[in-house]
Amino acid sequence: MPEQKQTIQVKYFTDKIEKLTYIGGKSDWIDLRAAKDVQLKAGEFHLIPLGVAMELPKGYEAHIVPRSSTFKNFGIIQTNHMGIIDETYCGDNDQWFMPAYALRDTQIHVNDRICQFRIMEHQPELSFEEVKELKSADRGGLGSTGKA
């Protein structure tokens, strides 16, 4: 049975950024764009507005990460490494932001693609059982797969 397409309500805070688009077949990540011009000096932090708020379906969350070219193009890193927005952050003023730290002087313009997101279903409820030993084979510990 084919999966049902989800519809997400989106509020735009500016008409200066391109509308969100889903490009099937290539990637299921969706680009997010800077909603204002931002100039940063090396060592500065800024919450870059992304110009959107969304009502995510119940039981889902958005994962926001930099695009693969973000550091190369802009010299910024996302300070929380991966942002999580759950379905309760859905109000009329709950604009999404990218927390950015500049490693070099940079300028980001309105509509620049600086990060991306995807929608993920919440993790199921888990319970934990303490044991004295695990029965699976060891892989050799951290960093044990060797060098290529």
Side-chain angles (χ1 to χ4, degrees), residues 65-123:
V65 298
R67 296 180 76 243
S68 60
S69 61
T70 297
F71 181 76
K72 175 181 66 87
N73 291 342
F74 303 106
I76 60 172
I77 57 173
Q78 185 172 328
T79 59
N80 58 353
H81 305 290
M82 180 173 83
I84 307 290
I85 297 177
D86 68 31
E87 77 270 22
T88 65
Y89 190 73
C90 60
D92 200 45
N93 293 303
D94 290 337
Q95 180 173 197
W96 293 13
F97 290 83
M98 178 187 182
Y101 180 79
L103 282 99
R104 61 174 164 84
D105 293 357
T106 190
Q107 187 160 8
I108 299 160
H109 298 286
V110 169
N111 209 42
D112 281 344
R113 296 180 299 161
I114 57 171
C115 55
Q116 57 192 340
F117 79 101
R118 73 184 321 179
I119 304 298
M120 301 293 292
E121 199 166 1
H122 287 238
Q123 176 172 278

Side-chain angles (χ1 to χ4, degrees), residues 21-32:
T21 56
Y22 183 82
I23 303 170
K26 186 175 178 187
S27 171
D28 61 355
W29 290 85
I30 300 158
D31 288 335
L32 292 164

Side-chain angles (χ1 to χ4, degrees), residues 129-146:
E129 177 185 0
E130 183 175 350
V131 297
K132 295 288 183 199
E133 66 180 60
L134 300 173
K135 305 290 186 218
S136 298
D138 284 344
R139 289 187 48 196
L142 181 65
S144 63
T145 59

Side-chain angles (χ1 to χ4, degrees), residues 52-71:
V52 295
M54 295 183 213
E55 255 188 60
L56 300 177
K58 184 171 175 44
Y60 285 80
E61 61 195 21
H63 294 185
I64 300 175
V65 298
R67 296 180 76 243
S68 60
S69 61
T70 297
F71 181 76

